[in-house]
């Protein structure tokens, strides 16, 4: 019941449990299959990662990076708070949740903020095509807030949906550009007819 405090290094827990509150302020901490923390976790710096780990308590991220999975994978927590300086890394290598892309399962409430970093794990092996869905990168009992910003791989665009499915944050890659135009014709020598067109499917800032 002594807990744990880390400011550097790369310790890991796998197939065992740690009882007590955990403070992470540097280095890289890995919580992998069979690894359980029975207590609250505070992440103020460094990285918290690992695949199929469980936190039986709250995870409060006020700094550093939450990187669930082991390229990719999953993490389960009781409650999750991502503060303004938090970063969440989500790696994408396919369409199967928890194995091809990262998933955080929150049995209680998830409060969102900070930066969502979307990472194509191996672009030479897998790149999504429009329109590919990645549902449930966060799956929570209840959901509040949104990410302040989203960092995407260069040249690639994602939509982020909050609560479209209750308690979930979903990603969708790309959009289909639809162009609609009048059906107009002219006889040679006549003036050009009025002609209008509209389009949908652009991301904000595109033209």
């Amino acid at each position: 019941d002594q807990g744990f405090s880390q400011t550097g290094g790369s310790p890991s827990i796998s197939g065992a449990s740690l009882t007590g509150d955990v403070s992470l302020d540097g280095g890289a901490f890995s919580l992998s299959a069979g690894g359980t923390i029975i207590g609250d976790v505070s992440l103020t710096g460094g990285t918290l990662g690992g695949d199929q780990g469980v936190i039986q308590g709250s995870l409060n991220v006020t700094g550093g990076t939450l990187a669930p999975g082991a390229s990719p994978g999953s993490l389960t927590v009781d409650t999750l708070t991502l503060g303004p300086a938090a970063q969440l890394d989500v790696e994408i290598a396919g369409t199967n949740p928890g194995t091809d892309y990262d998933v955080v399962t929150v049995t209680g409430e998830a409060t969102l903020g900070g930066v969502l970093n979307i990472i194509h794990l191996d672009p030479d092996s897998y790149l999504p095509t429009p329109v590919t869905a990645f549902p449930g990168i966060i799956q929570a009992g209840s959901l509040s807030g949104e990410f302040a910003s989203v960092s995407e791989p260069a040249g690639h665009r994602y939509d982020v949906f909050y609560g479209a499915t209750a308690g979930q944050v979903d990603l969708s890659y790309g959009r289909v550009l639809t162009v609609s135009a009048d059906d107009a014709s002219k006889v040679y020598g006549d003036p050009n007819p009025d002609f209008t067109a509209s389009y949908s499917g652009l991301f904000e800032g595109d033209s």
Side-chain angles (χ1 to χ4, degrees):
D1 296 338
Q2 296 180 352
F4 179 79
S5 179
Q6 173 184 316
T7 58
S10 53
S12 64
I13 298 176
S14 177
S17 62
L18 171 66
T19 300
D21 294 342
V22 173
S23 175
L24 305 175
D25 191 35
F29 187 93
S30 177
L31 186 63
S32 297
T36 302
I37 294 174
I38 305 171
D40 297 332
V41 177
S42 173
L43 176 62
T44 56
T47 301
L48 171 60
D51 183 25
Q52 301 179 44
V54 176
I55 297 173
Q56 295 180 3
S58 64
L59 172 56
N60 185 25
V61 185
T62 57
T65 301
L66 175 60
S71 301
S74 62
L75 174 70
T76 300
V77 304
D78 282 357
T79 62
L80 172 66
T81 301
L82 298 174
Q87 300 206 38
L88 172 64
D89 286 358
V90 172
E91 295 177 320
I92 292 176
T95 57
N96 296 308
T99 54
D100 290 337
Y101 65 90
D102 292 329
V103 170
V104 181
T105 300
V106 185
T107 57
E109 181 178 7
T111 303
L112 306 182
V115 180
L116 169 63
N117 299 310
I118 301 172
I119 300 164
H120 290 161
L121 183 62
D122 185 356
D124 291 333
S125 297
Y126 175 80
L127 281 176
T129 57
V131 174
T132 303
F134 301 93
I137 62 166
I138 294 177
Q139 303 173 11
S142 61
L143 191 67
S144 64
E146 296 182 359
F147 296 107
S149 62
V150 178
S151 174
E152 301 157 306
H156 299 271
R157 302 298 296 273
Y158 282 82
D159 282 306
V160 183
F161 299 101
Y162 302 92
T165 299
Q168 284 195 182
V169 179
D170 306 322
L171 298 181
S172 179
Y173 175 81
R175 294 183 183 176
V176 175
L177 178 63
T178 301
V179 179
S180 301
D182 293 340
D183 183 7
S185 62
K186 61 171 285 185
V187 176
Y188 182 77
D190 288 348
N192 290 328
D194 292 334
F195 179 85
T196 59
S198 62
Y199 54 85
S200 62
L202 293 181
F203 286 88
E204 183 178 353
D206 289 348
S207 60

